[in-house]
Amino acid sequence: MSAFKRKIRYGMVGGGRGAFIGAVHRIAAAMDGQIELVCGAFSSDPQRSKDSGADLFLPPQRCYATYQEMMEKEAALPADERMEFVSIVTPNHVHFPAAKAALEGGFHVMCDKPATLDLAEAKELAKIVAETGLLYGLTHNYTGYPMVKQARDMIAGGELGKIRKVVVEYPQGWLATKLEDTGKKQAAWRSDPKKSGAAGAFGDIGSHAENLAEFITGLAISELAADITTFVEGRLLDDDGNVLLRFEGGAKGVLHCSQISVGEENNLNIRVWGEKGGLEWHQTRPNTLRVKWSDKPAEVYRTSSGYLSPAAAAASRTPPGHPEGYLEAFANLYRNFAHHVRAVADGVEPDPLTTDYPKIRDGVRGMAFIEAVVASSKANASWTKLDV
Amino acid sequence: MSAFKRKIRYGMVGGGRGAFIGAVHRIAAAMDGQIELVCGAFSSDPQRSKDSGADLFLPPQRCYATYQEMMEKEAALPADERMEFVSIVTPNHVHFPAAKAALEGGFHVMCDKPATLDLAEAKELAKIVAETGLLYGLTHNYTGYPMVKQARDMIAGGELGKIRKVVVEYPQGWLATKLEDTGKKQAAWRSDPKKSGAAGAFGDIGSHAENLAEFITGLAISELAADITTFVEGRLLDDDGNVLLRFEGGAKGVLHCSQISVGEENNLNIRVWGEKGGLEWHQTRPNTLRVKWSDKPAEVYRTSSGYLSPAAAAASRTPPGHPEGYLEAFANLYRNFAHHVRAVADGVEPDPLTTDYPKIRDGVRGMAFIEAVVASSKANASWTKLDV
Amino acid sequence: MSAFKRKIRYGMVGGGRGAFIGAVHRIAAAMDGQIELVCGAFSSDPQRSKDSGADLFLPPQRCYATYQEMMEKEAALPADERMEFVSIVTPNHVHFPAAKAALEGGFHVMCDKPATLDLAEAKELAKIVAETGLLYGLTHNYTGYPMVKQARDMIAGGELGKIRKVVVEYPQGWLATKLEDTGKKQAAWRSDPKKSGAAGAFGDIGSHAENLAEFITGLAISELAADITTFVEGRLLDDDGNVLLRFEGGAKGVLHCSQISVGEENNLNIRVWGEKGGLEWHQTRPNTLRVKWSDKPAEVYRTSSGYLSPAAAAASRTPPGHPEGYLEAFANLYRNFAHHVRAVADGVEPDPLTTDYPKIRDGVRGMAFIEAVVASSKANASWTKLDV
Amino acid sequence: MSAFKRKIRYGMVGGGRGAFIGAVHRIAAAMDGQIELVCGAFSSDPQRSKDSGADLFLPPQRCYATYQEMMEKEAALPADERMEFVSIVTPNHVHFPAAKAALEGGFHVMCDKPATLDLAEAKELAKIVAETGLLYGLTHNYTGYPMVKQARDMIAGGELGKIRKVVVEYPQGWLATKLEDTGKKQAAWRSDPKKSGAAGAFGDIGSHAENLAEFITGLAISELAADITTFVEGRLLDDDGNVLLRFEGGAKGVLHCSQISVGEENNLNIRVWGEKGGLEWHQTRPNTLRVKWSDKPAEVYRTSSGYLSPAAAAASRTPPGHPEGYLEAFANLYRNFAHHVRAVADGVEPDPLTTDYPKIRDGVRGMAFIEAVVASSKANASWTKLDV
């Protein structure tokens, strides 16, 4: 992949002191030395925004009190100085208005998932993206792992045959008690419907599982039957749930996720079986993809090996055997997005490998999934269609 | 465990030349040198029955043409010579009549699962067992693994707290193509409703998953919503399916099984999470039980270790590090059953550890499960109760 | 494999109440229902021998006070009644005299390893085996695992190319404290030079590692440099050691074993690399053989799969996914040995697959290895040849 | 850990276009957004140096033709503009002269390993470091992994008891053929004694294994017996070797490394056993540390968990379950080093956690190890002391 000729500049919305995912985005952006943070509206508290920016070596005048101010002031800067894209890392309820403001202000957008607070917003956002013609990236970061791309490319290439069954899981255990009552900021907003949306676990991690399944198989979920539960007394949103899946074309499957599965860390994993073979990937050992056959030994595909697909090969930074992790996968989204931003700025066709990152379509699907899960569960797990 | 004073004698129904599970039962029975095969009705073909018996060093006069003949002739032998229990290893449709004949002939019964062809038979059989007062064992063999017993005992002891979630899986891949058309006997009867019952994969392996979940958690499934599928064209029974579970007391879960998951062998596994901890067991690495906690490192329990529960300790034959497998687990059921038979014969109280094997209650639950799965799936995955 | 027409009869030397390995041999012999225990000299204490035999349902007259008596009395029985082979499961110092007595009494011998107390005895025994023309099997049981046979066959077939490097390990932790002082019989004799021989850990488990390496690679160790240690104060024999290996043909390697590696169970494992590929096998997960290549994904070979070598295929009893363990591997030696005994008795050529068990040659190599390790270590790890 | 108030500035020697490790150092330095690359002498070819710098967005005037020029010109810049430390990422033979020039020019040094071309240089360098009072960091990057720090801290805290045995391995397979003849730059200099030093595999990876063993155990290797080999015909340096180890205080062990172990990636791993417990760490699954006990289940320690030591906790960037990899571990060295540089610049005491990175002492030990290995092997694996 050719190097950049200049760093791409971005501003951040959210991610002030004490935030978790903001720091992840900044590391992801910084990793390849090709993207530069130039401004931010890091907090709804103006002083906190300035302090957070100072921690990041930003001059005070580019640490804004609101994202609205940021869009306005940055737009007024010279073209070679102002930010080129906005990274949105706030709680969910701010995703839509901040993205809308950025796009309407003429800035590309990279946004944490889920795309919006509800499906209506997501559809509206898709319209704005289409109208502005600007780039929109969504950090369904697990698709940035090399072996996830390899899985997708093998299935797309027909190596497994027609897909029959998909099992995707995302168990966590960190909310097994009422952590939101203990002052933990990460737990508090995620379990508050006004900030998180209609779903708790399904908004936070279930949507990652849905995205991963659709990304790897290339198949859309056509309908689902969901049984979601709030196990921790007094919690306002679901903390666990089990879903039957039916995919277009006849594949079936199961999706389950949980935040009350004590002792589980971030155990996202997926298994897919087709008529000719199966595959299995676990986020806990992300550099391995196990591929299974009916008549020969299972194979262990590994990151950076010479036999990988071009997209999988492009997604690693070191030779085989140097474990690449969560931050590298996340950085792959930023690297591709920045390449795309540059190509647009330069008026050239982007390398197709670099347009490989989740987009607004993923956001709309994700919100449709969340709403379908909630609706199905309210109707005692009746089948509910995802028709977007 | 104290040794037997004499070998326990048994006869076998089914398991003639070319059968699979019959040989497994015989190895299981023979392993500890405490149980002796003395007769059999190995095949519905009298010559084949004799030939099969000859392979097993049985005298021709104790190789019977039918199980009815076996019950009658054996009953006529002197008490210290005739068989003491009958092992039934036929296809499913023979389970009930053979068990009935044995019990009514005064013999204890050890039967392969599922217990019968349908729930009505299972309930009828339960009555006969109760009326005769004889012993009935069902080879839900996975409950014979030391670490499965350990899991059960830890949950029963409250170590994991109140159970919230259960995920149990049994994927196989051997029926991913229409094997029943190729002359494979094992595939043929399993996919024939007249011999297998109302379900294919769910009768063969789904019922093992159900049994394992109820055994380990000590909780009964109260209702389920099932979506089962026949992926291989022209097959008469299901070869895959996904089920939402609700347990008495509020736990929820997922059960899925498959015989079209290419590359999977016999990948039965279970995960359970309670309010305080979780555990995980896989039949592919059966001597390990992983136990997880919220605030300390996960622990790796291992077969034969000094810290195990009495039942888990009693279920192994060698010191830690000598892998014990499928046949040993199976043998544990036979060993316990034989001890129980002996205690009854001797008119003494059995050691409680030796009555730890699946019984007719497991059989009734299993058949109720199978019927509920089929009924729910026919009703498009509507919730269906298991009220037995 | 064709079935036996009659059971093969054997007698046991050692293995009375409280012994460990005797029970393993009996289970191994019993498993396939083809071998029958008919007599024994189970203990040097005549009453204990009788009691032990009674536990095993033997008539008192065939429970002998000494192995000498057993050879004599059994020889006097009718040919179709007397034992056909002797299984020797005593501490090491009895292996040679009992085997000698059996062979000279006209009986085939199956003996626990190591073959003898020292190399001189092993050479003498090899002569007696040759002179009598009788069969001698040695229970280097790990060679009975299907995947060990597969590894051997792949290397013999040249799939890995010329072998360059071998790493073989056998760590245990059970003697990390002075267990021999606590009344534990297993620990006591193993750490007593008069009963165990010149080496402790190396006699008990190091010789297994040596045998596995030579079995799988087909290469003889030509010389070694050993540094062995007694970590537990007051212990009379080594409890740990590290050895550099040089093989005929230029391969090099490392062998280390230990009985003070706290927390290790029976972690025998081997890795071999050739010019074209590598392979890896662990006794803790014995049904998996990992094979590695330079330019394609590693492959996971599994017990019972259709693609295995004939010897590997013949060594399993159940379809893929039914874990086969230590006892099944051990039973494979007995099953092959019994087939060979029968073929000799019947005066027919044995099926070549059934002569695949360790023999006196393995015993001589093992004793040469033990003596070389001790000699090298005494000479501060100077290179010492194994020239037998 | 408190944030920086300004970015730390560094210059790089080596790491021009096509280099491997230079890019790794730059990612490691960039990851936390706290260190800034301001200049470089990226190549001995002046134009290549400028081009490489341009790829990294550096102005031409700070892309130097030689490291000598860089030291001189940078020293002449204003204090708040010039580089504060030098990162040396050249082949081994340039490590010493470049480090010497940097230190004598008044700059702190971060250097790739091994520290120098031979032991004499390393000792000389240690003197210069001591005399200048400047900071010197050595990128034995594997010590940057959180679970490696945890292992060290548990042993230092006595949890495993007195250490008895250490097994450390570093197998790779990438040089199984004569790659250095195919134009591969990475292979070419590593197998050239003038650039790599007296050892091939042992200089490149064996020294990492030695460093890891001494780091984790806190014990120095006192003597060793090495048998190293060049398997690939015509290669000038060793590509494989096996070493017996003796540590101060009586522990013993084995170290082996290889670059001809086909199919191995970067499989560095270590096992340590003490009187009370054992532990095991593998670079292929770096976020797991397995700890073993004699009387209770093994424990699985995981990165970012609440129960870790302060140093292990400080070494991770994300919550449990977000795999951290090679680049994060590498970045931990840079982060600590930069903190230390800042503390020195600010004239304050550094936080003790931030001085936790390998230093010149590790470099001297490493070179002594390499020389001892080569000397021992030349003397047919005779015991050779490491007395530095």
Side-chain angles (χ1 to χ4, degrees):
Chain A
M1 205 171 290
S2 69
F4 294 107
K5 288 162 217 152
R6 60 176 169 82
K7 291 200 187 185
I8 296 292
R9 298 176 305 276
Y10 78 110
M12 181 165 269
V13 180
R17 285 181 176 175
F20 155 60
I21 203 70
V24 166
H25 280 251
R26 286 192 298 265
I27 292 174
M31 189 176 286
D32 295 297
Q34 309 277 1
I35 303 174
E36 191 174 11
L37 178 67
V38 295
C39 63
F42 297 107
S43 170
S44 48
D45 170 343
Q47 186 57 44
R48 191 179 187 85
S49 184
K50 285 223 172 335
D51 291 347
S52 299
D55 292 348
L56 303 165
F57 317 120
L58 293 181
Q61 71 275 15
R62 292 184 86 174
C63 298
Y64 303 102
T66 65
Y67 62 81
Q68 294 89 341
E69 184 195 357
M70 181 168 95
M71 307 306 165
E72 194 181 319
K73 295 268 179 69
E74 287 289 314
L77 292 175
D80 62 351
E81 202 175 309
R82 67 170 171 248
M83 67 179 182
E84 297 171 84
F85 75 89
V86 174
S87 179
I88 302 170
V89 299
T90 62
N92 302 348
H93 66 300
V94 184
H95 288 181
F96 174 72
K100 184 174 189 293
L103 291 164
E104 293 179 349
F107 301 104
H108 306 293
V109 168
M110 189 69 153
C111 186
D112 206 70
K113 47 54 54 190
T116 56
L117 201 64
D118 59 32
L119 177 57
E121 279 186 1
K123 288 178 172 174
E124 172 70 12
L125 185 59
K127 264 193 228 164
I128 300 171
V129 170
E131 287 163 8
T132 59
L134 292 165
L135 303 182
Y136 176 90
L138 187 69
T139 55
H140 273 303
N141 50 288
Y142 301 107
T143 65
Y145 276 112
M147 303 320 289
V148 168
K149 294 181 187 290
Q150 176 69 21
R152 175 198 59 182
D153 294 346
M154 291 181 78
I155 289 175
E159 297 191 46
L160 268 55
K162 192 185 174 197
I163 298 309
R164 286 170 163 175
K165 181 155 190 174
V166 180
V167 177
V168 62
E169 310 179 328
Y170 200 150
Q172 295 182 331
W174 69 297
L175 292 177
T177 58
K178 200 137 181 273
L179 205 62
E180 58 268 46
D181 290 355
T182 65
K184 299 270 178 178
K185 195 175 161 180
Q186 298 306 323
W189 76 255
R190 278 182 174 79
S191 55
D192 175 355
K194 287 195 291 290
K195 295 184 175 169
S196 185
F202 276 83
D204 196 22
I205 57 175
S207 58
H208 273 308
E210 168 268 330
N211 183 258
L212 187 69
E214 297 199 341
F215 179 82
I216 283 184
T217 63
L219 299 173
I221 297 167
S222 53
E223 58 180 338
L224 57 77
D227 188 27
I228 70 178
T229 307
T230 303
F231 278 106
V232 173
E233 210 174 340
R235 178 164 289 159
L236 299 177
L237 291 169
D238 58 287
D239 49 26
D240 185 272
N242 308 312
V243 186
L244 304 177
L245 302 176
R246 291 176 181 162
F247 290 82
E248 57 176 12
K252 296 204 175 175
V254 174
L255 180 154
H256 55 91
C257 72
S258 178
Q259 295 180 318
I260 55 85
S261 293
V262 176
E264 301 297 326
E265 296 177 336
N266 232 16
N267 194 1
L268 174 65
N269 68 82
I270 187 166
R271 286 164 287 168
V272 181
W273 294 278
E275 294 186 351
K276 297 193 287 186
L279 58 77
E280 180 168 359
W281 179 81
H282 295 254
Q283 208 251 153
T284 49
R285 37 186 193 275
N287 296 297
T288 293
L289 176 70
R290 189 172 279 240
V291 186
K292 304 162 189 178
W293 308 104
S294 59
D295 54 354
K296 58 181 182 179
E299 293 175 310
V300 184
Y301 283 70
R302 293 276 299 161
T303 294
S304 282
S305 297
Y307 46 73
L308 298 184
S309 72
S316 57
R317 287 166 181 75
T318 46
H322 299 79
E324 310 214 5
Y326 173 84
L327 292 169
E328 285 76 32
F330 217 111
N332 286 337
L333 270 59
Y334 267 91
R335 189 167 63 174
N336 281 353
F337 187 73
H339 273 287
H340 202 179
V341 166
R342 168 177 309 284
V344 168
D346 293 352
V348 301
E349 271 302 299
D351 179 336
L353 285 178
T354 68
T355 64
D356 184 13
Y357 57 85
K359 303 191 181 66
I360 186 61
R361 173 73 189 153
D362 298 85
V364 173
R365 290 290 302 169
M367 295 316 302
F369 169 77
I370 292 169
E371 292 203 356
V373 164
V374 172
S376 170
S377 195
K378 276 189 185 144
N380 201 24
S382 67
W383 288 101
T384 304
K385 294 205 182 300
L386 272 79
D387 48 6
V388 293
Chain B
M1 203 171 290
S2 69
F4 293 109
K5 288 163 218 153
R6 59 176 169 83
K7 292 199 188 188
I8 297 292
R9 299 177 305 277
Y10 78 110
M12 182 166 269
V13 180
R17 285 179 176 177
F20 155 60
I21 203 69
V24 167
H25 281 251
R26 287 193 297 265
I27 292 174
M31 188 176 286
D32 296 298
Q34 309 277 359
I35 303 173
E36 191 175 9
L37 178 67
V38 294
C39 64
F42 298 105
S43 170
S44 47
D45 169 344
Q47 188 56 45
R48 191 180 187 85
S49 183
K50 286 226 171 331
D51 291 346
S52 299
D55 291 347
L56 303 164
F57 317 119
L58 293 182
Q61 71 276 16
R62 292 184 85 176
C63 299
Y64 303 101
T66 64
Y67 62 79
Q68 294 89 340
E69 184 195 357
M70 181 166 97
M71 307 306 165
E72 193 181 320
K73 296 266 179 69
E74 287 289 315
L77 291 175
D80 63 351
E81 202 175 312
R82 69 169 169 249
M83 67 179 181
E84 297 169 85
F85 75 90
V86 175
S87 178
I88 302 170
V89 299
T90 62
N92 302 348
H93 65 299
V94 185
H95 289 182
F96 174 72
K100 185 174 188 296
L103 290 164
E104 292 178 352
F107 301 104
H108 306 293
V109 168
M110 188 68 151
C111 187
D112 205 70
K113 48 53 54 191
T116 57
L117 202 64
D118 59 31
L119 177 57
E121 280 185 3
K123 287 178 172 174
E124 172 69 13
L125 186 58
K127 264 192 232 164
I128 300 171
V129 171
E131 286 163 9
T132 59
L134 292 165
L135 304 182
Y136 176 90
L138 187 69
T139 55
H140 273 303
N141 50 290
Y142 300 107
T143 65
Y145 276 114
M147 303 319 288
V148 168
K149 294 182 188 289
Q150 176 68 19
R152 175 198 59 182
D153 294 345
M154 291 181 78
I155 289 175
E159 296 190 45
L160 268 55
K162 192 186 173 197
I163 299 307
R164 287 171 162 173
K165 181 153 189 176
V166 180
V167 178
V168 62
E169 310 179 330
Y170 201 150
Q172 295 181 330
W174 69 298
L175 292 177
T177 59
K178 199 135 182 273
L179 205 63
E180 58 268 44
D181 290 355
T182 65
K184 300 270 178 179
K185 195 175 162 181
Q186 297 308 321
W189 77 255
R190 278 182 175 78
S191 54
D192 175 354
K194 289 194 291 289
K195 295 185 174 168
S196 185
F202 275 83
D204 195 23
I205 56 175
S207 59
H208 273 308
E210 168 269 331
N211 184 260
L212 187 69
E214 296 198 341
F215 179 82
I216 283 183
T217 64
L219 298 174
I221 297 167
S222 54
E223 57 180 337
L224 57 78
D227 187 27
I228 70 177
T229 308
T230 302
F231 278 106
V232 173
E233 211 174 339
R235 178 163 288 158
L236 298 177
L237 292 169
D238 57 286
D239 49 27
D240 185 90
N242 308 312
V243 187
L244 303 178
L245 303 175
R246 290 176 181 162
F247 291 83
E248 56 176 12
K252 296 204 175 175
V254 174
L255 180 155
H256 55 92
C257 71
S258 177
Q259 295 181 318
I260 54 87
S261 294
V262 176
E264 302 297 326
E265 297 177 338
N266 232 16
N267 194 2
L268 175 65
N269 67 83
I270 187 167
R271 287 164 286 169
V272 181
W273 294 278
E275 293 185 351
K276 296 193 288 183
L279 58 76
E280 181 168 359
W281 179 82
H282 295 253
Q283 208 251 154
T284 48
R285 38 183 192 276
N287 297 297
T288 292
L289 176 70
R290 190 172 279 240
V291 186
K292 304 162 191 179
W293 308 103
S294 60
D295 54 354
K296 58 181 181 179
E299 293 175 311
V300 183
Y301 283 69
R302 294 275 300 159
T303 294
S304 283
S305 297
Y307 47 72
L308 298 183
S309 72
S316 58
R317 287 166 181 76
T318 46
H322 300 79
E324 310 214 4
Y326 173 84
L327 293 169
E328 285 76 31
F330 216 110
N332 286 337
L333 270 58
Y334 266 91
R335 189 166 62 174
N336 280 354
F337 187 73
H339 273 287
H340 200 178
V341 166
R342 167 176 311 282
V344 168
D346 293 353
V348 299
E349 271 302 298
D351 179 336
L353 284 178
T354 68
T355 63
D356 184 12
Y357 56 85
K359 304 192 179 67
I360 186 60
R361 173 72 190 152
D362 299 86
V364 173
R365 289 290 303 167
M367 295 315 301
F369 169 76
I370 292 168
E371 292 203 355
V373 163
V374 172
S376 170
S377 195
K378 276 189 184 144
N380 201 24
S382 67
W383 288 100
T384 304
K385 294 209 180 300
L386 272 80
D387 48 5
V388 293
Chain C
M1 203 172 289
S2 67
F4 293 110
K5 288 163 220 154
R6 59 175 170 83
K7 292 199 186 186
I8 297 292
R9 298 176 304 275
Y10 79 109
M12 181 165 269
V13 180
R17 285 180 176 177
F20 155 60
I21 203 68
V24 167
H25 281 250
R26 287 192 297 264
I27 292 174
M31 188 176 287
D32 296 298
Q34 309 278 1
I35 304 173
E36 191 174 13
L37 179 68
V38 295
C39 64
F42 299 105
S43 169
S44 48
D45 169 344
Q47 188 56 45
R48 190 181 188 83
S49 184
K50 287 227 172 331
D51 292 345
S52 299
D55 292 346
L56 303 165
F57 317 119
L58 293 180
Q61 71 275 16
R62 292 184 84 175
C63 299
Y64 303 102
T66 65
Y67 62 80
Q68 295 89 340
E69 185 194 356
M70 181 167 96
M71 307 306 165
E72 193 180 320
K73 296 267 177 71
E74 288 288 317
L77 291 175
D80 63 352
E81 202 176 311
R82 69 170 170 251
M83 66 178 181
E84 297 170 83
F85 74 90
V86 175
S87 178
I88 302 169
V89 299
T90 63
N92 303 348
H93 65 299
V94 184
H95 289 181
F96 175 72
K100 185 173 189 294
L103 291 164
E104 292 179 351
F107 301 104
H108 306 293
V109 168
M110 189 69 153
C111 187
D112 206 70
K113 46 57 49 191
T116 57
L117 203 62
D118 60 31
L119 177 57
E121 280 186 1
K123 288 178 172 173
E124 174 69 12
L125 185 58
K127 265 195 227 160
I128 299 171
V129 171
E131 287 164 8
T132 60
L134 291 164
L135 302 183
Y136 177 90
L138 187 69
T139 55
H140 273 303
N141 50 290
Y142 301 108
T143 65
Y145 276 113
M147 302 321 288
V148 168
K149 294 183 188 289
Q150 176 68 19
R152 175 198 60 183
D153 294 345
M154 291 181 78
I155 289 175
E159 296 191 46
L160 268 55
K162 192 185 174 196
I163 299 308
R164 286 170 162 175
K165 181 155 190 173
V166 180
V167 177
V168 62
E169 311 179 327
Y170 201 151
Q172 294 181 331
W174 68 298
L175 293 177
T177 59
K178 200 136 181 275
L179 205 63
E180 59 267 46
D181 288 358
T182 65
K184 300 269 178 180
K185 195 174 161 182
Q186 298 306 323
W189 77 255
R190 278 182 174 78
S191 54
D192 175 355
K194 288 196 293 290
K195 295 184 174 169
S196 184
F202 276 84
D204 195 23
I205 56 174
S207 59
H208 272 308
E210 168 268 330
N211 184 261
L212 186 69
E214 296 199 341
F215 179 83
I216 283 184
T217 63
L219 299 173
I221 297 167
S222 53
E223 59 180 337
L224 57 78
D227 187 27
I228 69 177
T229 307
T230 303
F231 277 106
V232 173
E233 209 175 341
R235 178 163 288 159
L236 298 177
L237 291 170
D238 58 287
D239 49 27
D240 185 273
N242 308 313
V243 186
L244 303 178
L245 303 176
R246 290 175 180 163
F247 291 83
E248 57 175 11
K252 297 205 174 173
V254 174
L255 180 154
H256 55 93
C257 71
S258 178
Q259 294 180 319
I260 54 86
S261 294
V262 176
E264 302 297 327
E265 297 177 337
N266 231 16
N267 194 1
L268 174 65
N269 68 82
I270 187 166
R271 286 165 287 169
V272 181
W273 294 277
E275 293 185 353
K276 296 193 289 185
L279 58 77
E280 181 167 0
W281 179 81
H282 295 254
Q283 208 251 155
T284 48
R285 38 184 191 275
N287 296 297
T288 293
L289 176 69
R290 189 173 279 241
V291 186
K292 303 161 191 181
W293 309 104
S294 59
D295 54 353
K296 58 181 181 180
E299 294 174 312
V300 183
Y301 282 69
R302 294 275 300 159
T303 294
S304 283
S305 297
Y307 47 71
L308 298 183
S309 72
S316 57
R317 287 165 181 76
T318 45
H322 299 80
E324 310 215 5
Y326 173 84
L327 292 169
E328 285 76 32
F330 216 111
N332 285 337
L333 271 59
Y334 266 90
R335 189 167 62 174
N336 280 353
F337 187 73
H339 273 287
H340 201 178
V341 166
R342 168 176 309 283
V344 168
D346 292 352
V348 300
E349 271 303 299
D351 179 337
L353 284 178
T354 68
T355 63
D356 183 13
Y357 57 85
K359 304 191 179 67
I360 186 60
R361 173 73 189 152
D362 298 86
V364 173
R365 289 290 302 168
M367 295 315 302
F369 169 77
I370 292 168
E371 292 202 355
V373 163
V374 173
S376 169
S377 194
K378 275 189 187 144
N380 201 23
S382 67
W383 289 100
T384 305
K385 293 206 182 301
L386 270 80
D387 48 6
V388 292
Chain D
M1 205 171 287
S2 69
F4 294 109
K5 288 163 218 153
R6 60 176 169 82
K7 291 199 185 185
I8 297 292
R9 298 176 305 276
Y10 78 110
M12 180 165 269
V13 179
R17 285 179 175 177
F20 155 61
I21 203 68
V24 167
H25 280 251
R26 287 192 298 264
I27 292 174
M31 188 175 287
D32 296 299
Q34 309 278 1
I35 303 174
E36 190 175 11
L37 178 67
V38 294
C39 64
F42 299 105
S43 170
S44 49
D45 169 343
Q47 186 57 42
R48 190 180 187 82
S49 184
K50 285 223 171 335
D51 291 346
S52 300
D55 292 348
L56 303 165
F57 318 119
L58 293 181
Q61 71 275 16
R62 293 184 84 174
C63 299
Y64 303 101
T66 65
Y67 62 79
Q68 295 89 340
E69 185 195 357
M70 181 166 96
M71 307 306 166
E72 193 181 320
K73 296 267 178 71
E74 288 287 315
L77 291 174
D80 63 351
E81 203 175 308
R82 69 170 171 250
M83 65 179 183
E84 295 171 85
F85 75 89
V86 174
S87 179
I88 302 169
V89 299
T90 63
N92 302 347
H93 65 299
V94 184
H95 289 181
F96 174 72
K100 184 173 189 295
L103 291 164
E104 293 179 349
F107 300 104
H108 305 294
V109 167
M110 188 70 154
C111 187
D112 206 71
K113 47 56 50 191
T116 56
L117 201 64
D118 60 31
L119 178 57
E121 279 185 2
K123 288 178 172 173
E124 172 70 11
L125 185 58
K127 263 193 228 164
I128 299 171
V129 171
E131 287 163 7
T132 60
L134 291 164
L135 303 183
Y136 176 91
L138 188 69
T139 55
H140 273 303
N141 50 289
Y142 301 107
T143 64
Y145 276 113
M147 303 320 290
V148 168
K149 293 182 188 290
Q150 177 68 20
R152 175 199 60 183
D153 294 345
M154 291 181 78
I155 289 175
E159 296 190 45
L160 268 54
K162 192 186 175 197
I163 299 308
R164 287 169 163 175
K165 181 154 190 174
V166 179
V167 177
V168 61
E169 311 179 328
Y170 201 150
Q172 294 181 330
W174 68 298
L175 292 177
T177 59
K178 199 135 181 271
L179 204 63
E180 58 267 47
D181 290 355
T182 65
K184 300 270 178 180
K185 194 174 160 181
Q186 298 307 322
W189 77 255
R190 277 182 175 77
S191 55
D192 175 356
K194 288 194 290 290
K195 293 184 175 170
S196 184
F202 275 84
D204 195 22
I205 56 175
S207 59
H208 272 308
E210 168 268 330
N211 183 260
L212 187 69
E214 297 199 340
F215 178 83
I216 283 184
T217 64
L219 299 173
I221 298 166
S222 53
E223 58 180 336
L224 57 77
D227 188 27
I228 69 177
T229 307
T230 303
F231 277 105
V232 173
E233 209 174 339
R235 178 163 289 159
L236 299 178
L237 292 170
D238 58 288
D239 49 27
D240 185 273
N242 308 313
V243 186
L244 304 177
L245 302 176
R246 290 174 181 164
F247 291 83
E248 57 176 10
K252 296 204 176 174
V254 174
L255 180 154
H256 55 91
C257 71
S258 178
Q259 294 180 317
I260 55 86
S261 293
V262 175
E264 301 297 327
E265 298 177 337
N266 231 16
N267 194 3
L268 174 65
N269 67 82
I270 186 166
R271 286 166 287 169
V272 180
W273 294 277
E275 294 185 352
K276 296 192 288 184
L279 59 77
E280 180 167 1
W281 180 82
H282 294 254
Q283 209 251 153
T284 49
R285 38 185 192 274
N287 296 296
T288 293
L289 176 71
R290 189 173 280 240
V291 186
K292 305 162 190 179
W293 308 105
S294 60
D295 54 354
K296 59 180 180 180
E299 293 174 311
V300 183
Y301 283 68
R302 295 275 300 160
T303 295
S304 282
S305 298
Y307 46 71
L308 299 183
S309 72
S316 58
R317 286 166 182 76
T318 46
H322 299 78
E324 310 215 5
Y326 173 84
L327 292 170
E328 284 77 31
F330 216 111
N332 286 337
L333 271 59
Y334 267 90
R335 189 166 64 173
N336 281 352
F337 187 73
H339 273 287
H340 201 178
V341 166
R342 167 177 310 283
V344 168
D346 293 353
V348 300
E349 271 302 299
D351 178 337
L353 284 178
T354 68
T355 64
D356 183 12
Y357 57 86
K359 303 192 180 67
I360 186 61
R361 174 71 189 154
D362 299 85
V364 172
R365 290 288 304 168
M367 295 315 302
F369 169 77
I370 292 169
E371 292 203 355
V373 164
V374 172
S376 170
S377 195
K378 277 190 185 144
N380 201 21
S382 68
W383 289 101
T384 304
K385 292 204 183 302
L386 270 79
D387 48 6
V388 294

